[in-house]
Amino acid sequence: CPICCVPNAGPGHLCAIQRTEASLPPRASYPAPGSMLGGTYRLLSKRGEGGMGVVFEAEHVRLERRVAVKILRPEFLRDADAVGRFCREAKTAGRIRHDGIVEILDVNSESGGAWYIVMELLQGEDLASLVARTGALPVERAVAIARQICGALAVAHDAGIIHRDIKPANVFLVDRGDGLDHVKLLDFGISKLTTGGTTVTGTGQIVGTPLYMSPEQACGDPSLDHRTDVFAVGTVLYEMLTGHAPFEAPSAMAVLARLMTQDPEPPSRHDPRVPSWTERIVLRCLARDPDGRFGSSRELGEALAAGPDGQEQRPAKAARTVHPEELRVVTVLFATFSPTALGDHPVPPDEANRLIDAPLCRTDEIVRRHGGTVLRRFADGIMAVFGAPSARGDDAACAVRAALEIR
């Protein structure tokens, strides 16, 4: 259900929140500046857009208050998962009252079909835009921003909410005219409830942004905990200090391959001015094993606040010891499919999806038959591993045979 998040809610489902029969709204045209939503919010101008929605500056016509309105793109209105995620963003963020988390004022849908979230209007820019414009930030500024992220996450974690999509684009720096950075966390659409709620994603389903997700999140581990956000804060701090993400690569699949198989370069390789104490904190956040990271975002924030003296007095917790008999070489297979390769003419989107779905299903079967496991499915390909969780002597040869059959 897009409102109460009950899974597999079919036609006639009685929503526990609205107490009415819930269904997806009909297809609608996209609201434009000047439009009224709910008879209350007049859209003024577009402020930004993302993969699922567009943000407008708007006015509450009776209160004469400026607000931000995020509207779900029309192409997602028939997608129950997309609508559910959109409403979940409002419901989850609305549960948390903290100055470091954007305030949600309303969520609703028009009779014509447009879903929208009303939020406080923020003045400033997101961290992604800042880093793209200036490059690496001074250490003091980067640490101050990271500490605020940790403070907001600590409140969310205390409420049993794991964000799972901490990245520079979801960290907004509010300009209050005092020359300081005031952090607001955005987009709780793929957050996970760990207490008293329903986990949104199913077992093995992978959500998040590859450049900033933890290894356990990239594997679709349903048991991941708040330490996945600690990893993400480490990637954001790394990027603030160096101007680069720790696992940059030409494609999402290559990013995941680096994440699963390589350690990040120390930040000082990019910029020798990065202090050793800050580097130790970043690399501890980026430990592949969650037990090697800080135990909580609050602990991470305290380490950042303590600075170099605190790091010397409170050494990082050692990662879990890996015994030689546990070490294993695995083979990772990536396969991508392009419908445009089937002809010289452009392929309509619906036909492209149909042409890609068939080989994807067959690829899953080929991988399993050769002893592999599909770790991640993309819109146009898969990532599979051979040699885990159990290893055989011919894992690499099996991967090659699977690749040749897929080709």
Side-chain angles (χ1 to χ4, degrees):
C1 173
I3 299 296
C4 65
C5 302
V6 170
N8 304 318
H13 162 67
L14 186 63
C15 178
I17 295 178
Q18 285 195 341
R19 302 295 180 185
T20 58
E21 186 173 317
S23 60
L24 288 178
R27 190 176 299 277
S29 58
Y30 203 51
S35 302
M36 289 286 292
L37 295 178
T40 301
Y41 306 103
R42 178 183 292 114
L43 302 185
L44 300 178
S45 61
K46 187 167 76 171
R47 295 287 297 266
E49 57 187 299
M52 290 186 64
V54 178
V55 177
F56 288 87
E57 181 175 347
E59 181 184 34
H60 190 298
V61 294
R62 289 182 293 279
L63 298 179
E64 298 183 352
R65 175 185 177 181
R66 293 296 176 93
V67 295
V69 176
K70 182 177 180 180
I71 304 176
L72 184 65
R73 292 183 180 277
E75 56 264 34
F76 293 110
L77 293 179
R78 296 282 180 177
D79 185 335
D81 289 338
V83 174
R85 170 179 168 178
F86 190 77
C87 295
R88 198 159 49 242
E89 175 183 352
K91 181 179 176 182
T92 304
R95 290 177 54 183
I96 313 169
R97 293 298 181 91
H98 187 269
D99 190 54
I101 296 173
V102 65
E103 182 183 4
I104 303 298
L105 305 175
D106 193 10
V107 59
N108 210 335
S109 67
E110 288 286 88
S111 58
W115 279 93
Y116 60 92
I117 297 172
V118 183
M119 303 172 281
E120 62 175 317
L121 181 65
L122 304 176
Q123 302 293 343
E125 66 179 331
D126 63 57
L127 183 57
S129 300
L130 174 64
V131 174
R133 178 166 54 82
T134 67
L137 305 182
V139 173
E140 295 79 7
R141 187 178 188 185
V143 168
I145 291 172
R147 286 180 59 192
Q148 291 185 65
I149 296 173
C150 290
L153 281 176
V155 174
H157 294 166
D158 288 346
I161 297 169
I162 306 170
H163 191 287
R164 297 199 297 182
D165 201 20
I166 295 297
K167 58 184 178 182
N170 285 338
V171 177
F172 197 90
L173 305 176
V174 179
D175 182 1
R176 294 178 177 166
D178 57 4
L180 302 176
D181 296 305
H182 301 275
V183 167
K184 292 274 189 180
L185 294 187
L186 311 177
D187 197 351
F188 281 76
I190 62 171
S191 58
K192 175 181 177 181
L193 304 180
T194 59
T195 58
T198 302
T199 299
V200 170
T201 52
T203 301
Q205 185 177 351
I206 302 170
V207 293
T209 305
L211 272 175
Y212 307 99
M213 65 171 57
S214 66
E216 63 269 25
Q217 189 171 345
C219 289
D221 184 353
S223 64
L224 63 78
D225 58 24
H226 55 276
R227 291 173 295 180
T228 193
D229 284 345
V230 171
F231 185 97
V233 174
T235 67
V236 171
L237 181 54
Y238 188 109
E239 187 164 335
M240 286 193 287
L241 293 170
T242 67
H244 300 274
F247 300 100
E248 288 180 344
S251 67
M253 288 188 175
V255 168
L256 292 175
R258 284 199 62 192
L259 174 65
M260 304 296 288
T261 61
Q262 299 179 27
D263 293 326
E265 286 191 342
S268 58
R269 296 274 183 89
H270 294 278
D271 188 343
R273 293 172 297 179
V274 175
S276 59
W277 70 271
T278 314
E279 180 168 276
R280 286 196 299 271
I281 289 177
V282 170
L283 295 180
R284 180 175 170 185
C285 290
L286 298 180
R288 280 204 201 93
D289 187 342
D291 289 341
R293 302 173 201 157
F294 290 92
S296 68
S297 57
R298 185 171 283 107
E299 182 185 348
L300 170 56
E302 290 171 353
L304 290 169
D309 295 336
Q311 281 296 294
E312 292 172 1
Q313 295 168 9
R314 300 185 352 171
K317 182 173 63 176
R320 178 177 60 90
T321 302
V322 179
H323 300 289
E325 61 268 27
E326 293 183 59
L327 298 179
R328 172 184 308 135
V329 175
V330 299
T331 303
V332 180
L333 167 65
F334 293 95
T336 57
F337 306 96
S338 172
T340 56
L342 302 177
D344 297 328
H345 303 289
V347 181
D350 291 345
E351 180 66 8
N353 290 337
R354 186 187 67 78
L355 293 174
I356 289 176
D357 283 346
L360 279 176
C361 293
R362 172 138 177 77
T363 297
D364 286 358
E365 188 274 325
I366 292 172
V367 168
R368 287 194 298 270
R369 179 152 39 84
H370 287 279
T373 302
V374 175
L375 283 184
R376 175 159 185 156
R377 292 173 179 81
F378 301 90
D380 60 349
I382 59 100
M383 170 185 175
V385 62
F386 293 77
S390 58
R392 301 184 310 185
D394 61 345
D395 286 319
C398 290
V400 172
R401 286 194 288 269
L404 291 173
E405 186 173 344
I406 291 170
R407 184 169 182 269

